[in-house]
Amino acid sequence: MTASVDVAAIDTHTPAERRPFGPGTRTWEEVGLITFSLTAGSAFLLQTMEPSISAVVDAHSTFRTDPIGRALRSLSAVMMWTYGGEESLGETDRLRKMHATLNTTDADGKRHTALSSGPWAWVLHTGTFAFAENAEYFAKRPLTTAEKEDYYRETLQLMRNFYVPPKELPASYADFEKFFADQVENHLEATQTAKDYLKVIRTIAPPTQLPRALHPVWRAVTGPFGRMQHFVTVGTTPESARRKLGLTWTESDERKLRILGWFIARLVPLLPERLRYFPIAYEARKLERDKARLREVIDIRPL
């Protein structure tokens, strides 16, 4: 099953236009890899710099009080809309229904709604950026221009599954890059939500059920992971966004990130598939192989 899409034919009111992903797509092959989480941080950071998303996240998200739970729920949602088969469309519907109630009014009296078309699309646009950044740093080679265009066609299918209006969709990856750069430079802001998020990922709060006596152990164990996630998040965030947030990124930092990425890109492929992919992704891929083997046996059965 492929995720190619004719942009001109997008109709957000036509359910038949929505379809799940499957084998043969770059989305299916790569989103489920454990390395996906490395650039998820920069995607969420860019989301929290969008004023409406920031206001809604500030009012409703549990990322400050339950960072691990929020991260796991978000990751689970991504795995479901990628690998859930027909259930993936139900997952996108569930997320839209959930976000329909996430509205707020900021200190200036401006109303913000989670399902406003621009912010709703921006959440997915940041994922497109993060996917390309992941290949840039944590794959054996970055995506070529042609591969970015092919992947973007799949992204348009995902947008369609989420009922993103066509007006929010650049026609090509080249157009997307221009749109994305303009959004980062001229629309994103150094919100308090974004600053809080950077603090949260650097020092991972212990689960509420963990006894206080074990908090020092928690900090010792999670400290290196938090510092690495913060480092990777800052490094894979556009320079314009870093500048707005007052973040520094030196040539030495860039070299360190490149070295880290080089090792990760060569170590992860050596892992067994069960460890390379998140559980939902692994089981979905295994199921598809089992279906293919069953089909082969059926096709050669005596008649």
Side-chain angles (χ1 to χ4, degrees):
M1 183 179 297
T2 63
S4 60
V5 54
D6 179 359
V7 178
I10 289 179
D11 179 353
T12 59
H13 299 292
T14 305
E17 293 291 337
R18 303 169 72 214
R19 60 178 181 268
F21 290 98
T25 61
R26 185 173 290 273
T27 299
W28 175 271
E29 296 300 326
E30 298 180 25
V31 168
L33 289 167
I34 57 174
T35 49
F36 167 84
S37 61
L38 290 169
T39 50
S42 55
F44 189 71
L45 180 61
L46 291 168
Q47 292 166 28
T48 59
M49 293 180 71
E50 200 284 329
S52 287
I53 296 175
S54 172
V56 172
V57 167
D58 182 55
H60 297 285
S61 177
T62 61
F63 81 91
R64 296 184 182 92
T65 57
D66 183 25
I68 294 178
R70 187 214 64 83
L72 290 176
R73 289 189 293 273
S74 296
L75 180 62
S76 174
V78 174
M79 294 302 110
M80 274 300 298
W81 77 54
T82 305
Y83 297 98
E86 291 302 324
E87 288 188 60
S88 67
L89 302 182
E91 177 68 6
T92 61
D93 292 340
R94 182 188 72 82
L95 292 170
R96 280 187 61 87
K97 182 178 180 180
M98 181 184 75
H99 283 81
T101 63
L102 302 184
N103 307 314
T104 190
T105 301
D106 63 24
D108 297 323
K110 184 176 180 180
R111 183 72 170 166
H112 300 277
T113 60
L115 290 186
S116 294
S117 66
W120 184 245
W122 182 247
V123 171
L124 298 172
H125 283 315
T126 62
T128 303
F129 165 79
F131 186 93
E133 282 294 279
N134 202 288
E136 176 70 28
Y137 286 95
F138 303 110
K140 289 187 177 180
R141 63 170 180 80
L143 298 177
T144 65
T145 299
E147 287 171 337
K148 288 178 180 179
E149 289 291 350
D150 287 342
Y151 170 68
Y152 187 66
R153 311 304 288 185
E154 297 179 20
T155 296
L156 292 176
Q157 179 63 55
L158 178 62
M159 296 285 197
R160 174 188 288 162
N161 291 351
F162 273 92
Y163 292 112
V164 173
K167 68 177 183 176
E168 305 294 349
L169 305 179
S172 67
Y173 190 85
D175 292 329
F176 165 78
E177 287 185 306
K178 296 175 184 176
F179 157 81
F180 191 85
D182 178 71
Q183 286 290 103
V184 173
E185 182 66 39
N186 300 312
H187 184 63
L188 299 192
E189 300 175 3
T191 66
Q192 188 59 48
T193 309
K195 295 175 182 178
D196 288 349
Y197 174 67
L198 286 169
K199 293 177 183 177
V200 165
I201 62 173
R202 188 163 196 163
T203 305
I204 306 171
T208 55
Q209 65 269 28
L210 187 71
R212 184 172 294 275
L214 295 179
H215 284 196
V217 177
W218 173 268
R219 287 194 292 270
V221 171
T222 63
F225 294 100
R227 289 190 291 273
M228 186 185 78
Q229 184 64 64
H230 183 275
F231 177 73
V232 171
T233 296
V234 173
T236 56
T237 295
E239 175 58 32
S240 178
R242 288 198 295 253
R243 185 176 66 251
K244 291 182 180 184
L245 291 167
L247 300 171
T248 58
W249 188 255
T250 66
E251 291 183 3
S252 175
D253 291 330
E254 182 68 18
R255 285 194 297 272
K256 291 175 183 176
L257 182 57
R258 293 284 179 179
I259 292 171
L260 175 65
W262 189 92
F263 278 105
I264 289 175
R266 282 149 186 82
L267 289 175
V268 170
L270 299 178
L271 297 174
E273 185 181 22
R274 182 181 290 276
L275 298 180
R276 287 200 314 276
Y277 285 88
F278 290 109
I280 291 176
Y282 169 75
E283 294 296 342
R285 291 168 58 83
K286 181 175 178 293
L287 177 61
E288 288 299 323
R289 288 195 300 272
D290 290 343
K291 288 180 180 178
R293 284 194 289 269
L294 174 60
R295 185 72 262 167
E296 291 175 1
V297 174
I298 290 174
D299 288 343
I300 64 173
R301 73 191 187 281
L303 296 175

